[in-house]
Amino acid sequence: MSTSLFTITDKPISIEEVVQKVIRPEAGAVTAFIGTVREFTNGKRTLFLQYEAYVSMAEKMLEQIGKEISERWPEAKVAITHRIGRLDISDLAVVIAVSTPHRKDAYEANQYAIERIKQIVPIWKKEHWEDGTEWVGNQLETKAYPTGKPEGEDLA
Amino acid sequence: MITLLFFSYLKEAVGNEQIKMEYTPITIKQLKQQLETDYGLDLQHVMVAVNEEYAQEGQLLQPGDTIAFIPPVSGG
C-alpha cells in the first residue's frame, strides 16, 4: 500500500495500514471511519458497485481536505485511502484515520473529512442494482449547484 | 490544443473519456454551451476543473489546458 497519506487505490484497503500512518507519540486518540458497500438502499438491492475517479485530482483534493483539517484542528494528523473499481457488498470503500492529542478533535475532524469527500473529491459510484444500473449523483442532496459550479466554502 | 475529460455518466453520453480540441479563446461557460449543443448534454449541474483545480464559469481557457467535466460527486 502507498505510504502517502492521501491515496486512491484499486486494491483492497487495509484498515491497519491507514491507521498506522497517523499513530504517533503526540496522539492520545485515533478515530477510524470505515465506509462500506451497503446492500440495501431504500429497499433497493445493490449487487455490487463500480467506483471511478479522476485519480490525480482526487488525490489533490484529499490533500486539500488534509490542509483544511490542519487549519481547523492544528494538532490533527489525517490519512485517507479511497478504493475504486468493482466493490462487492461489505467491501471497504474508504478509510479515514485521524489522530489528535484528545478524543473530541479526532471525532470531529474525522466527520469533517467524510463530509468534504462527499462535496469536493472527484469520485463517482455506479450502482448495479438487481434491476439495472445508475450513476449516483450528489448523495447528500444538499448541493444543487444552480450556477453549475461549486461556490464559497466548496472552493476553499 | 485543449484536452477535455469526461467522467461518470458524461463519459458514457459523450462516448469518450478524452477529447482533444483545437484551442479557441473562449470561456468555460461558452465551452459548456458548445458541448451541450454538440452532444445534447445538460451541463447545468456539472462542475469544471481546469488543470485539476475547480474553476469558475467565466474563466478564459488557455492553450494546453486540461478541462475536466465533473458531475456531482458520490465518493465515500
Side-chain angles (χ1 to χ4, degrees), chain A residues 92-127:
Chain A
L92 315 185
V94 62
V95 175
I96 303 167
V98 178
S99 70
T100 57
H102 303 284
R103 66 184 179 281
K104 189 163 182 280
D105 287 348
Y107 278 114
E108 288 178 359
N110 202 309
Q111 180 165 16
Y112 179 86
I114 186 66
E115 301 303 333
R116 289 297 276 157
I117 285 172
K118 289 171 182 287
Q119 290 170 344
I120 66 165
V121 181
I123 298 175
W124 302 269
K125 73 174 165 193
K126 189 177 195 176
E127 286 273 5

PDB file of all heavy atoms in Angstrom, chain A residues 92-127:
ATOM      1  N   LEU A  92     -14.625  -2.470   1.746  1.00  0.00           N
ATOM      2  CA  LEU A  92     -14.307  -1.146   2.278  1.00  0.00           C
ATOM      3  C   LEU A  92     -14.090  -0.176   1.130  1.00  0.00           C
ATOM      4  O   LEU A  92     -13.217  -0.391   0.289  1.00  0.00           O
ATOM      5  CB  LEU A  92     -13.024  -1.199   3.122  1.00  0.00           C
ATOM      6  CG  LEU A  92     -12.880  -2.346   4.125  1.00  0.00           C
ATOM      7  CD1 LEU A  92     -11.608  -2.141   4.949  1.00  0.00           C
ATOM      8  CD2 LEU A  92     -14.099  -2.458   5.014  1.00  0.00           C
ATOM      9  N   ALA A  93     -14.878   0.887   1.102  1.00  0.00           N
ATOM     10  CA  ALA A  93     -14.743   1.886   0.037  1.00  0.00           C
ATOM     11  C   ALA A  93     -13.785   2.990   0.448  1.00  0.00           C
ATOM     12  O   ALA A  93     -13.034   3.514  -0.376  1.00  0.00           O
ATOM     13  CB  ALA A  93     -16.109   2.478  -0.302  1.00  0.00           C
ATOM     14  N   VAL A  94     -13.840   3.367   1.718  1.00  0.00           N
ATOM     15  CA  VAL A  94     -12.978   4.454   2.195  1.00  0.00           C
ATOM     16  C   VAL A  94     -12.608   4.226   3.651  1.00  0.00           C
ATOM     17  O   VAL A  94     -13.426   3.727   4.428  1.00  0.00           O
ATOM     18  CB  VAL A  94     -13.666   5.836   1.994  1.00  0.00           C
ATOM     19  CG1 VAL A  94     -14.952   5.945   2.794  1.00  0.00           C
ATOM     20  CG2 VAL A  94     -12.737   6.989   2.348  1.00  0.00           C
ATOM     21  N   VAL A  95     -11.375   4.561   3.967  1.00  0.00           N
ATOM     22  CA  VAL A  95     -10.932   4.532   5.370  1.00  0.00           C
ATOM     23  C   VAL A  95     -10.266   5.874   5.673  1.00  0.00           C
ATOM     24  O   VAL A  95      -9.375   6.320   4.942  1.00  0.00           O
ATOM     25  CB  VAL A  95      -9.954   3.372   5.655  1.00  0.00           C
ATOM     26  CG1 VAL A  95      -9.420   3.450   7.090  1.00  0.00           C
ATOM     27  CG2 VAL A  95     -10.642   2.017   5.428  1.00  0.00           C
ATOM     28  N   ILE A  96     -10.752   6.511   6.739  1.00  0.00           N
ATOM     29  CA  ILE A  96     -10.199   7.800   7.179  1.00  0.00           C
ATOM     30  C   ILE A  96      -9.696   7.614   8.601  1.00  0.00           C
ATOM     31  O   ILE A  96     -10.468   7.220   9.481  1.00  0.00           O
ATOM     32  CB  ILE A  96     -11.279   8.905   7.192  1.00  0.00           C
ATOM     33  CG1 ILE A  96     -11.929   9.055   5.814  1.00  0.00           C
ATOM     34  CG2 ILE A  96     -10.684  10.241   7.669  1.00  0.00           C
ATOM     35  CD1 ILE A  96     -13.197   9.892   5.848  1.00  0.00           C
ATOM     36  N   ALA A  97      -8.429   7.890   8.829  1.00  0.00           N
ATOM     37  CA  ALA A  97      -7.872   7.816  10.182  1.00  0.00           C
ATOM     38  C   ALA A  97      -7.414   9.201  10.606  1.00  0.00           C
ATOM     39  O   ALA A  97      -6.769   9.906   9.824  1.00  0.00           O
ATOM     40  CB  ALA A  97      -6.698   6.840  10.230  1.00  0.00           C
ATOM     41  N   VAL A  98      -7.783   9.585  11.821  1.00  0.00           N
ATOM     42  CA  VAL A  98      -7.367  10.882  12.370  1.00  0.00           C
ATOM     43  C   VAL A  98      -6.809  10.653  13.766  1.00  0.00           C
ATOM     44  O   VAL A  98      -7.445   9.986  14.577  1.00  0.00           O
ATOM     45  CB  VAL A  98      -8.556  11.865  12.475  1.00  0.00           C
ATOM     46  CG1 VAL A  98      -8.095  13.189  13.103  1.00  0.00           C
ATOM     47  CG2 VAL A  98      -9.184  12.128  11.107  1.00  0.00           C
ATOM     48  N   SER A  99      -5.628  11.206  14.013  1.00  0.00           N
ATOM     49  CA  SER A  99      -5.102  11.153  15.381  1.00  0.00           C
ATOM     50  C   SER A  99      -4.949  12.564  15.917  1.00  0.00           C
ATOM     51  O   SER A  99      -4.624  13.502  15.173  1.00  0.00           O
ATOM     52  CB  SER A  99      -3.757  10.422  15.431  1.00  0.00           C
ATOM     53  OG  SER A  99      -2.744  11.187  14.825  1.00  0.00           O
ATOM     54  N   THR A 100      -5.243  12.707  17.196  1.00  0.00           N
ATOM     55  CA  THR A 100      -5.135  14.001  17.888  1.00  0.00           C
ATOM     56  C   THR A 100      -4.708  13.717  19.333  1.00  0.00           C
ATOM     57  O   THR A 100      -4.830  12.585  19.806  1.00  0.00           O
ATOM     58  CB  THR A 100      -6.499  14.738  17.929  1.00  0.00           C
ATOM     59  OG1 THR A 100      -7.453  13.880  18.562  1.00  0.00           O
ATOM     60  CG2 THR A 100      -6.987  15.115  16.545  1.00  0.00           C
ATOM     61  N   PRO A 101      -4.268  14.744  20.040  1.00  0.00           N
ATOM     62  CA  PRO A 101      -3.926  14.522  21.450  1.00  0.00           C
ATOM     63  C   PRO A 101      -5.140  14.089  22.277  1.00  0.00           C
ATOM     64  O   PRO A 101      -5.014  13.275  23.184  1.00  0.00           O
ATOM     65  CB  PRO A 101      -3.404  15.894  21.907  1.00  0.00           C
ATOM     66  CG  PRO A 101      -2.889  16.528  20.653  1.00  0.00           C
ATOM     67  CD  PRO A 101      -3.830  16.069  19.565  1.00  0.00           C
ATOM     68  N   HIS A 102      -6.339  14.643  21.980  1.00  0.00           N
ATOM     69  CA  HIS A 102      -7.547  14.346  22.770  1.00  0.00           C
ATOM     70  C   HIS A 102      -8.698  13.932  21.856  1.00  0.00           C
ATOM     71  O   HIS A 102      -8.789  14.362  20.717  1.00  0.00           O
ATOM     72  CB  HIS A 102      -7.943  15.567  23.603  1.00  0.00           C
ATOM     73  CG  HIS A 102      -6.838  16.018  24.503  1.00  0.00           C
ATOM     74  ND1 HIS A 102      -6.508  15.348  25.661  1.00  0.00           N
ATOM     75  CD2 HIS A 102      -5.943  17.030  24.374  1.00  0.00           C
ATOM     76  CE1 HIS A 102      -5.469  15.954  26.233  1.00  0.00           C
ATOM     77  NE2 HIS A 102      -5.103  16.974  25.468  1.00  0.00           N
ATOM     78  N   ARG A 103      -9.615  13.099  22.384  1.00  0.00           N
ATOM     79  CA  ARG A 103     -10.574  12.392  21.535  1.00  0.00           C
ATOM     80  C   ARG A 103     -11.574  13.257  20.788  1.00  0.00           C
ATOM     81  O   ARG A 103     -11.967  12.937  19.674  1.00  0.00           O
ATOM     82  CB  ARG A 103     -11.338  11.343  22.348  1.00  0.00           C
ATOM     83  CG  ARG A 103     -12.256  11.915  23.422  1.00  0.00           C
ATOM     84  CD  ARG A 103     -12.898  10.819  24.257  1.00  0.00           C
ATOM     85  NE  ARG A 103     -13.775  11.346  25.302  1.00  0.00           N
ATOM     86  CZ  ARG A 103     -13.333  11.844  26.459  1.00  0.00           C
ATOM     87  NH1 ARG A 103     -12.050  11.906  26.717  1.00  0.00           N
ATOM     88  NH2 ARG A 103     -14.195  12.305  27.355  1.00  0.00           N
ATOM     89  N   LYS A 104     -12.013  14.365  21.395  1.00  0.00           N
ATOM     90  CA  LYS A 104     -13.080  15.155  20.775  1.00  0.00           C
ATOM     91  C   LYS A 104     -12.666  15.632  19.377  1.00  0.00           C
ATOM     92  O   LYS A 104     -13.430  15.532  18.418  1.00  0.00           O
ATOM     93  CB  LYS A 104     -13.403  16.348  21.678  1.00  0.00           C
ATOM     94  CG  LYS A 104     -14.624  17.138  21.279  1.00  0.00           C
ATOM     95  CD  LYS A 104     -15.100  18.024  22.425  1.00  0.00           C
ATOM     96  CE  LYS A 104     -16.352  18.797  22.067  1.00  0.00           C
ATOM     97  NZ  LYS A 104     -16.062  19.979  21.254  1.00  0.00           N
ATOM     98  N   ASP A 105     -11.465  16.143  19.294  1.00  0.00           N
ATOM     99  CA  ASP A 105     -10.983  16.631  17.999  1.00  0.00           C
ATOM    100  C   ASP A 105     -10.872  15.506  16.973  1.00  0.00           C
ATOM    101  O   ASP A 105     -11.117  15.717  15.785  1.00  0.00           O
ATOM    102  CB  ASP A 105      -9.605  17.290  18.162  1.00  0.00           C
ATOM    103  CG  ASP A 105      -9.692  18.639  18.854  1.00  0.00           C
ATOM    104  OD1 ASP A 105     -10.817  19.174  18.996  1.00  0.00           O
ATOM    105  OD2 ASP A 105      -8.630  19.166  19.261  1.00  0.00           O
ATOM    106  N   ALA A 106     -10.512  14.319  17.429  1.00  0.00           N
ATOM    107  CA  ALA A 106     -10.356  13.204  16.486  1.00  0.00           C
ATOM    108  C   ALA A 106     -11.700  12.826  15.865  1.00  0.00           C
ATOM    109  O   ALA A 106     -11.798  12.550  14.668  1.00  0.00           O
ATOM    110  CB  ALA A 106      -9.735  11.995  17.189  1.00  0.00           C
ATOM    111  N   TYR A 107     -12.767  12.837  16.696  1.00  0.00           N
ATOM    112  CA  TYR A 107     -14.110  12.556  16.166  1.00  0.00           C
ATOM    113  C   TYR A 107     -14.543  13.650  15.189  1.00  0.00           C
ATOM    114  O   TYR A 107     -15.020  13.377  14.092  1.00  0.00           O
ATOM    115  CB  TYR A 107     -15.128  12.478  17.298  1.00  0.00           C
ATOM    116  CG  TYR A 107     -15.182  11.136  18.005  1.00  0.00           C
ATOM    117  CD1 TYR A 107     -14.807  10.996  19.332  1.00  0.00           C
ATOM    118  CD2 TYR A 107     -15.651  10.007  17.338  1.00  0.00           C
ATOM    119  CE1 TYR A 107     -14.870   9.777  19.980  1.00  0.00           C
ATOM    120  CE2 TYR A 107     -15.723   8.775  17.982  1.00  0.00           C
ATOM    121  CZ  TYR A 107     -15.330   8.668  19.301  1.00  0.00           C
ATOM    122  OH  TYR A 107     -15.400   7.453  19.939  1.00  0.00           O
ATOM    123  N   GLU A 108     -14.388  14.889  15.612  1.00  0.00           N
ATOM    124  CA  GLU A 108     -14.889  15.994  14.798  1.00  0.00           C
ATOM    125  C   GLU A 108     -14.152  16.103  13.473  1.00  0.00           C
ATOM    126  O   GLU A 108     -14.751  16.293  12.416  1.00  0.00           O
ATOM    127  CB  GLU A 108     -14.768  17.322  15.576  1.00  0.00           C
ATOM    128  CG  GLU A 108     -15.765  17.421  16.710  1.00  0.00           C
ATOM    129  CD  GLU A 108     -15.619  18.699  17.519  1.00  0.00           C
ATOM    130  OE1 GLU A 108     -14.712  19.520  17.201  1.00  0.00           O
ATOM    131  OE2 GLU A 108     -16.393  18.868  18.467  1.00  0.00           O
ATOM    132  N   ALA A 109     -12.843  16.002  13.521  1.00  0.00           N
ATOM    133  CA  ALA A 109     -12.053  16.138  12.291  1.00  0.00           C
ATOM    134  C   ALA A 109     -12.348  14.986  11.334  1.00  0.00           C
ATOM    135  O   ALA A 109     -12.385  15.168  10.118  1.00  0.00           O
ATOM    136  CB  ALA A 109     -10.562  16.180  12.631  1.00  0.00           C
ATOM    137  N   ASN A 110     -12.608  13.811  11.874  1.00  0.00           N
ATOM    138  CA  ASN A 110     -12.907  12.670  11.018  1.00  0.00           C
ATOM    139  C   ASN A 110     -14.239  12.869  10.303  1.00  0.00           C
ATOM    140  O   ASN A 110     -14.364  12.625   9.090  1.00  0.00           O
ATOM    141  CB  ASN A 110     -12.929  11.381  11.861  1.00  0.00           C
ATOM    142  CG  ASN A 110     -12.700  10.172  10.978  1.00  0.00           C
ATOM    143  OD1 ASN A 110     -13.361  10.007   9.972  1.00  0.00           O
ATOM    144  ND2 ASN A 110     -11.759   9.333  11.357  1.00  0.00           N
ATOM    145  N   GLN A 111     -15.230  13.359  11.032  1.00  0.00           N
ATOM    146  CA  GLN A 111     -16.527  13.609  10.384  1.00  0.00           C
ATOM    147  C   GLN A 111     -16.398  14.696   9.323  1.00  0.00           C
ATOM    148  O   GLN A 111     -16.986  14.593   8.237  1.00  0.00           O
ATOM    149  CB  GLN A 111     -17.574  14.012  11.422  1.00  0.00           C
ATOM    150  CG  GLN A 111     -18.928  14.264  10.766  1.00  0.00           C
ATOM    151  CD  GLN A 111     -20.069  14.318  11.743  1.00  0.00           C
ATOM    152  OE1 GLN A 111     -19.874  14.459  12.943  1.00  0.00           O
ATOM    153  NE2 GLN A 111     -21.280  14.214  11.230  1.00  0.00           N
ATOM    154  N   TYR A 112     -15.619  15.715   9.630  1.00  0.00           N
ATOM    155  CA  TYR A 112     -15.388  16.774   8.652  1.00  0.00           C
ATOM    156  C   TYR A 112     -14.816  16.185   7.362  1.00  0.00           C
ATOM    157  O   TYR A 112     -15.222  16.534   6.257  1.00  0.00           O
ATOM    158  CB  TYR A 112     -14.412  17.799   9.248  1.00  0.00           C
ATOM    159  CG  TYR A 112     -14.072  18.936   8.320  1.00  0.00           C
ATOM    160  CD1 TYR A 112     -14.880  20.067   8.252  1.00  0.00           C
ATOM    161  CD2 TYR A 112     -12.952  18.875   7.480  1.00  0.00           C
ATOM    162  CE1 TYR A 112     -14.587  21.102   7.388  1.00  0.00           C
ATOM    163  CE2 TYR A 112     -12.650  19.906   6.613  1.00  0.00           C
ATOM    164  CZ  TYR A 112     -13.467  21.020   6.572  1.00  0.00           C
ATOM    165  OH  TYR A 112     -13.181  22.042   5.695  1.00  0.00           O
ATOM    166  N   ALA A 113     -13.869  15.266   7.501  1.00  0.00           N
ATOM    167  CA  ALA A 113     -13.215  14.687   6.320  1.00  0.00           C
ATOM    168  C   ALA A 113     -14.215  13.960   5.421  1.00  0.00           C
ATOM    169  O   ALA A 113     -14.229  14.161   4.207  1.00  0.00           O
ATOM    170  CB  ALA A 113     -12.103  13.726   6.758  1.00  0.00           C
ATOM    171  N   ILE A 114     -15.088  13.134   5.995  1.00  0.00           N
ATOM    172  CA  ILE A 114     -16.011  12.379   5.136  1.00  0.00           C
ATOM    173  C   ILE A 114     -17.038  13.311   4.485  1.00  0.00           C
ATOM    174  O   ILE A 114     -17.389  13.141   3.309  1.00  0.00           O
ATOM    175  CB  ILE A 114     -16.691  11.202   5.892  1.00  0.00           C
ATOM    176  CG1 ILE A 114     -17.532  10.342   4.938  1.00  0.00           C
ATOM    177  CG2 ILE A 114     -17.539  11.664   7.054  1.00  0.00           C
ATOM    178  CD1 ILE A 114     -16.749   9.600   3.889  1.00  0.00           C
ATOM    179  N   GLU A 115     -17.471  14.336   5.226  1.00  0.00           N
ATOM    180  CA  GLU A 115     -18.428  15.271   4.611  1.00  0.00           C
ATOM    181  C   GLU A 115     -17.791  15.997   3.429  1.00  0.00           C
ATOM    182  O   GLU A 115     -18.418  16.195   2.393  1.00  0.00           O
ATOM    183  CB  GLU A 115     -18.940  16.297   5.639  1.00  0.00           C
ATOM    184  CG  GLU A 115     -19.640  15.710   6.861  1.00  0.00           C
ATOM    185  CD  GLU A 115     -20.829  14.814   6.528  1.00  0.00           C
ATOM    186  OE1 GLU A 115     -21.449  15.012   5.469  1.00  0.00           O
ATOM    187  OE2 GLU A 115     -21.111  13.900   7.317  1.00  0.00           O
ATOM    188  N   ARG A 116     -16.542  16.399   3.572  1.00  0.00           N
ATOM    189  CA  ARG A 116     -15.853  17.109   2.479  1.00  0.00           C
ATOM    190  C   ARG A 116     -15.584  16.185   1.288  1.00  0.00           C
ATOM    191  O   ARG A 116     -15.637  16.620   0.134  1.00  0.00           O
ATOM    192  CB  ARG A 116     -14.546  17.734   2.990  1.00  0.00           C
ATOM    193  CG  ARG A 116     -14.756  18.914   3.912  1.00  0.00           C
ATOM    194  CD  ARG A 116     -15.439  20.072   3.220  1.00  0.00           C
ATOM    195  NE  ARG A 116     -14.500  20.918   2.484  1.00  0.00           N
ATOM    196  CZ  ARG A 116     -14.862  21.696   1.460  1.00  0.00           C
ATOM    197  NH1 ARG A 116     -16.113  21.711   1.035  1.00  0.00           N
ATOM    198  NH2 ARG A 116     -13.959  22.437   0.860  1.00  0.00           N
ATOM    199  N   ILE A 117     -15.290  14.911   1.565  1.00  0.00           N
ATOM    200  CA  ILE A 117     -15.098  13.952   0.466  1.00  0.00           C
ATOM    201  C   ILE A 117     -16.349  13.931  -0.406  1.00  0.00           C
ATOM    202  O   ILE A 117     -16.279  13.938  -1.636  1.00  0.00           O
ATOM    203  CB  ILE A 117     -14.789  12.541   1.015  1.00  0.00           C
ATOM    204  CG1 ILE A 117     -13.350  12.505   1.533  1.00  0.00           C
ATOM    205  CG2 ILE A 117     -14.994  11.467  -0.071  1.00  0.00           C
ATOM    206  CD1 ILE A 117     -12.980  11.229   2.281  1.00  0.00           C
ATOM    207  N   LYS A 118     -17.509  13.953   0.250  1.00  0.00           N
ATOM    208  CA  LYS A 118     -18.768  13.875  -0.493  1.00  0.00           C
ATOM    209  C   LYS A 118     -19.101  15.175  -1.214  1.00  0.00           C
ATOM    210  O   LYS A 118     -20.067  15.238  -1.979  1.00  0.00           O
ATOM    211  CB  LYS A 118     -19.903  13.463   0.446  1.00  0.00           C
ATOM    212  CG  LYS A 118     -19.784  11.991   0.862  1.00  0.00           C
ATOM    213  CD  LYS A 118     -20.767  11.625   1.960  1.00  0.00           C
ATOM    214  CE  LYS A 118     -20.584  10.178   2.387  1.00  0.00           C
ATOM    215  NZ  LYS A 118     -21.089   9.221   1.384  1.00  0.00           N
ATOM    216  N   GLN A 119     -18.324  16.239  -0.943  1.00  0.00           N
ATOM    217  CA  GLN A 119     -18.560  17.513  -1.630  1.00  0.00           C
ATOM    218  C   GLN A 119     -17.577  17.773  -2.766  1.00  0.00           C
ATOM    219  O   GLN A 119     -17.973  18.264  -3.823  1.00  0.00           O
ATOM    220  CB  GLN A 119     -18.456  18.675  -0.630  1.00  0.00           C
ATOM    221  CG  GLN A 119     -19.596  18.716   0.360  1.00  0.00           C
ATOM    222  CD  GLN A 119     -19.329  19.716   1.484  1.00  0.00           C
ATOM    223  OE1 GLN A 119     -18.198  20.159   1.697  1.00  0.00           O
ATOM    224  NE2 GLN A 119     -20.378  20.057   2.206  1.00  0.00           N
ATOM    225  N   ILE A 120     -16.303  17.514  -2.544  1.00  0.00           N
ATOM    226  CA  ILE A 120     -15.306  18.061  -3.489  1.00  0.00           C
ATOM    227  C   ILE A 120     -14.396  17.040  -4.156  1.00  0.00           C
ATOM    228  O   ILE A 120     -13.649  17.397  -5.064  1.00  0.00           O
ATOM    229  CB  ILE A 120     -14.411  19.132  -2.806  1.00  0.00           C
ATOM    230  CG1 ILE A 120     -13.530  18.510  -1.720  1.00  0.00           C
ATOM    231  CG2 ILE A 120     -15.238  20.300  -2.296  1.00  0.00           C
ATOM    232  CD1 ILE A 120     -12.393  19.445  -1.273  1.00  0.00           C
ATOM    233  N   VAL A 121     -14.404  15.787  -3.733  1.00  0.00           N
ATOM    234  CA  VAL A 121     -13.433  14.847  -4.310  1.00  0.00           C
ATOM    235  C   VAL A 121     -14.043  14.143  -5.526  1.00  0.00           C
ATOM    236  O   VAL A 121     -15.105  13.527  -5.418  1.00  0.00           O
ATOM    237  CB  VAL A 121     -12.980  13.813  -3.257  1.00  0.00           C
ATOM    238  CG1 VAL A 121     -11.950  12.863  -3.863  1.00  0.00           C
ATOM    239  CG2 VAL A 121     -12.365  14.532  -2.056  1.00  0.00           C
ATOM    240  N   PRO A 122     -13.400  14.267  -6.700  1.00  0.00           N
ATOM    241  CA  PRO A 122     -13.996  13.715  -7.926  1.00  0.00           C
ATOM    242  C   PRO A 122     -13.934  12.186  -7.981  1.00  0.00           C
ATOM    243  O   PRO A 122     -13.054  11.599  -8.600  1.00  0.00           O
ATOM    244  CB  PRO A 122     -13.200  14.368  -9.048  1.00  0.00           C
ATOM    245  CG  PRO A 122     -11.899  14.763  -8.441  1.00  0.00           C
ATOM    246  CD  PRO A 122     -12.172  15.031  -6.987  1.00  0.00           C
ATOM    247  N   ILE A 123     -14.899  11.586  -7.294  1.00  0.00           N
ATOM    248  CA  ILE A 123     -15.087  10.133  -7.282  1.00  0.00           C
ATOM    249  C   ILE A 123     -16.587   9.902  -7.501  1.00  0.00           C
ATOM    250  O   ILE A 123     -17.403  10.631  -6.932  1.00  0.00           O
ATOM    251  CB  ILE A 123     -14.665   9.522  -5.929  1.00  0.00           C
ATOM    252  CG1 ILE A 123     -13.176   9.758  -5.675  1.00  0.00           C
ATOM    253  CG2 ILE A 123     -14.974   8.018  -5.893  1.00  0.00           C
ATOM    254  CD1 ILE A 123     -12.696   9.298  -4.294  1.00  0.00           C
ATOM    255  N   TRP A 124     -16.905   8.907  -8.323  1.00  0.00           N
ATOM    256  CA  TRP A 124     -18.308   8.605  -8.615  1.00  0.00           C
ATOM    257  C   TRP A 124     -18.563   7.131  -8.423  1.00  0.00           C
ATOM    258  O   TRP A 124     -17.699   6.300  -8.702  1.00  0.00           O
ATOM    259  CB  TRP A 124     -18.654   8.982 -10.058  1.00  0.00           C
ATOM    260  CG  TRP A 124     -18.399  10.402 -10.348  1.00  0.00           C
ATOM    261  CD1 TRP A 124     -19.283  11.437 -10.214  1.00  0.00           C
ATOM    262  CD2 TRP A 124     -17.164  10.987 -10.808  1.00  0.00           C
ATOM    263  NE1 TRP A 124     -18.667  12.618 -10.552  1.00  0.00           N
ATOM    264  CE2 TRP A 124     -17.369  12.377 -10.922  1.00  0.00           C
ATOM    265  CE3 TRP A 124     -15.903  10.476 -11.119  1.00  0.00           C
ATOM    266  CZ2 TRP A 124     -16.385  13.258 -11.350  1.00  0.00           C
ATOM    267  CZ3 TRP A 124     -14.913  11.350 -11.541  1.00  0.00           C
ATOM    268  CH2 TRP A 124     -15.158  12.719 -11.655  1.00  0.00           C
ATOM    269  N   LYS A 125     -19.799   6.820  -7.993  1.00  0.00           N
ATOM    270  CA  LYS A 125     -20.132   5.398  -7.890  1.00  0.00           C
ATOM    271  C   LYS A 125     -21.288   5.066  -8.808  1.00  0.00           C
ATOM    272  O   LYS A 125     -22.237   5.845  -8.961  1.00  0.00           O
ATOM    273  CB  LYS A 125     -20.410   4.986  -6.461  1.00  0.00           C
ATOM    274  CG  LYS A 125     -21.700   5.445  -5.872  1.00  0.00           C
ATOM    275  CD  LYS A 125     -21.863   4.810  -4.480  1.00  0.00           C
ATOM    276  CE  LYS A 125     -22.955   5.512  -3.701  1.00  0.00           C
ATOM    277  NZ  LYS A 125     -22.942   5.143  -2.291  1.00  0.00           N
ATOM    278  N   LYS A 126     -21.176   3.910  -9.417  1.00  0.00           N
ATOM    279  CA  LYS A 126     -22.259   3.405 -10.256  1.00  0.00           C
ATOM    280  C   LYS A 126     -22.879   2.226  -9.533  1.00  0.00           C
ATOM    281  O   LYS A 126     -22.199   1.255  -9.219  1.00  0.00           O
ATOM    282  CB  LYS A 126     -21.709   2.966 -11.613  1.00  0.00           C
ATOM    283  CG  LYS A 126     -22.797   2.632 -12.612  1.00  0.00           C
ATOM    284  CD  LYS A 126     -22.192   2.262 -13.963  1.00  0.00           C
ATOM    285  CE  LYS A 126     -23.263   2.294 -15.050  1.00  0.00           C
ATOM    286  NZ  LYS A 126     -22.693   2.030 -16.375  1.00  0.00           N
ATOM    287  N   GLU A 127     -24.167   2.369  -9.248  1.00  0.00           N
ATOM    288  CA  GLU A 127     -24.899   1.297  -8.578  1.00  0.00           C
ATOM    289  C   GLU A 127     -25.269   0.233  -9.600  1.00  0.00           C
ATOM    290  O   GLU A 127     -25.792   0.545 -10.670  1.00  0.00           O
ATOM    291  CB  GLU A 127     -26.196   1.848  -7.960  1.00  0.00           C
ATOM    292  CG  GLU A 127     -25.983   2.682  -6.720  1.00  0.00           C
ATOM    293  CD  GLU A 127     -25.935   1.840  -5.447  1.00  0.00           C
ATOM    294  OE1 GLU A 127     -25.982   0.598  -5.555  1.00  0.00           O
ATOM    295  OE2 GLU A 127     -25.852   2.434  -4.358  1.00  0.00           O
TER     296      GLU A 127
END
